[in-house]
PDB file of all heavy atoms in Angstrom:
ATOM      1  N   TYR A  76     -14.811  -4.885   5.086  1.00 97.00           N
ATOM      2  CA  TYR A  76     -15.127  -4.805   3.654  1.00 97.00           C
ATOM      3  C   TYR A  76     -14.313  -5.826   2.863  1.00 97.00           C
ATOM      4  O   TYR A  76     -14.862  -6.536   1.998  1.00 97.00           O
ATOM      5  CB  TYR A  76     -14.846  -3.395   3.136  1.00 97.00           C
ATOM      6  CG  TYR A  76     -15.184  -3.241   1.671  1.00 97.00           C
ATOM      7  CD1 TYR A  76     -16.490  -2.982   1.270  1.00 97.00           C
ATOM      8  CD2 TYR A  76     -14.202  -3.376   0.697  1.00 97.00           C
ATOM      9  CE1 TYR A  76     -16.814  -2.864  -0.075  1.00 97.00           C
ATOM     10  CE2 TYR A  76     -14.512  -3.255  -0.646  1.00 97.00           C
ATOM     11  CZ  TYR A  76     -15.814  -3.001  -1.033  1.00 97.00           C
ATOM     12  OH  TYR A  76     -16.130  -2.898  -2.364  1.00 97.00           O
ATOM     13  N   ALA A  77     -13.019  -5.912   3.138  1.00 97.00           N
ATOM     14  CA  ALA A  77     -12.164  -6.858   2.416  1.00 97.00           C
ATOM     15  C   ALA A  77     -12.622  -8.295   2.621  1.00 97.00           C
ATOM     16  O   ALA A  77     -12.681  -9.091   1.669  1.00 97.00           O
ATOM     17  CB  ALA A  77     -10.706  -6.684   2.862  1.00 97.00           C
ATOM     18  N   ARG A  78     -12.967  -8.638   3.845  1.00 96.00           N
ATOM     19  CA  ARG A  78     -13.427 -10.007   4.112  1.00 96.00           C
ATOM     20  C   ARG A  78     -14.774 -10.273   3.457  1.00 96.00           C
ATOM     21  O   ARG A  78     -15.032 -11.396   2.987  1.00 96.00           O
ATOM     22  CB  ARG A  78     -13.523 -10.235   5.620  1.00 96.00           C
ATOM     23  CG  ARG A  78     -12.166 -10.295   6.320  1.00 96.00           C
ATOM     24  CD  ARG A  78     -12.311 -10.562   7.804  1.00 96.00           C
ATOM     25  NE  ARG A  78     -12.802 -11.913   8.060  1.00 96.00           N
ATOM     26  CZ  ARG A  78     -13.059 -12.381   9.274  1.00 96.00           C
ATOM     27  NH1 ARG A  78     -12.901 -11.597  10.335  1.00 96.00           N
ATOM     28  NH2 ARG A  78     -13.487 -13.610   9.441  1.00 96.00           N
ATOM     29  N   SER A  79     -15.642  -9.278   3.409  1.00 95.00           N
ATOM     30  CA  SER A  79     -16.967  -9.479   2.812  1.00 95.00           C
ATOM     31  C   SER A  79     -16.872  -9.759   1.312  1.00 95.00           C
ATOM     32  O   SER A  79     -17.749 -10.412   0.746  1.00 95.00           O
ATOM     33  CB  SER A  79     -17.849  -8.246   3.052  1.00 95.00           C
ATOM     34  OG  SER A  79     -17.434  -7.142   2.250  1.00 95.00           O
ATOM     35  N   ILE A  80     -15.795  -9.285   0.670  1.00 95.00           N
ATOM     36  CA  ILE A  80     -15.609  -9.500  -0.773  1.00 95.00           C
ATOM     37  C   ILE A  80     -14.711 -10.706  -1.014  1.00 95.00           C
ATOM     38  O   ILE A  80     -15.115 -11.694  -1.656  1.00 95.00           O
ATOM     39  CB  ILE A  80     -14.993  -8.258  -1.448  1.00 95.00           C
ATOM     40  CG1 ILE A  80     -15.820  -7.008  -1.155  1.00 95.00           C
ATOM     41  CG2 ILE A  80     -14.847  -8.500  -2.955  1.00 95.00           C
ATOM     42  CD1 ILE A  80     -17.243  -7.068  -1.623  1.00 95.00           C
ATOM     43  N   LEU A  81     -13.501 -10.626  -0.499  1.00 94.00           N
ATOM     44  CA  LEU A  81     -12.489 -11.642  -0.813  1.00 94.00           C
ATOM     45  C   LEU A  81     -12.724 -12.958  -0.096  1.00 94.00           C
ATOM     46  O   LEU A  81     -12.174 -13.983  -0.491  1.00 94.00           O
ATOM     47  CB  LEU A  81     -11.095 -11.097  -0.467  1.00 94.00           C
ATOM     48  CG  LEU A  81     -10.711  -9.794  -1.192  1.00 94.00           C
ATOM     49  CD1 LEU A  81      -9.354  -9.305  -0.709  1.00 94.00           C
ATOM     50  CD2 LEU A  81     -10.703 -10.003  -2.695  1.00 94.00           C
ATOM     51  N   GLY A  82     -13.536 -12.933   0.949  1.00 92.00           N
ATOM     52  CA  GLY A  82     -13.847 -14.165   1.672  1.00 92.00           C
ATOM     53  C   GLY A  82     -14.935 -14.996   1.005  1.00 92.00           C
ATOM     54  O   GLY A  82     -15.279 -16.076   1.490  1.00 92.00           O
ATOM     55  N   ARG A  83     -15.470 -14.491  -0.109  1.00 92.00           N
ATOM     56  CA  ARG A  83     -16.553 -15.206  -0.814  1.00 92.00           C
ATOM     57  C   ARG A  83     -16.212 -15.302  -2.294  1.00 92.00           C
ATOM     58  O   ARG A  83     -16.204 -14.301  -3.010  1.00 92.00           O
ATOM     59  CB  ARG A  83     -17.884 -14.475  -0.619  1.00 92.00           C
ATOM     60  CG  ARG A  83     -18.331 -14.404   0.842  1.00 92.00           C
ATOM     61  CD  ARG A  83     -19.723 -13.805   0.950  1.00 92.00           C
ATOM     62  NE  ARG A  83     -19.732 -12.394   0.600  1.00 92.00           N
ATOM     63  CZ  ARG A  83     -20.857 -11.705   0.394  1.00 92.00           C
ATOM     64  NH1 ARG A  83     -22.027 -12.306   0.477  1.00 92.00           N
ATOM     65  NH2 ARG A  83     -20.791 -10.413   0.085  1.00 92.00           N
TER      66      ARG A  83
END
Side-chain angles (χ1 to χ4, degrees):
Y76 181 83
R78 290 182 68 182
S79 72
I80 306 300
L81 302 176
R83 298 186 291 168

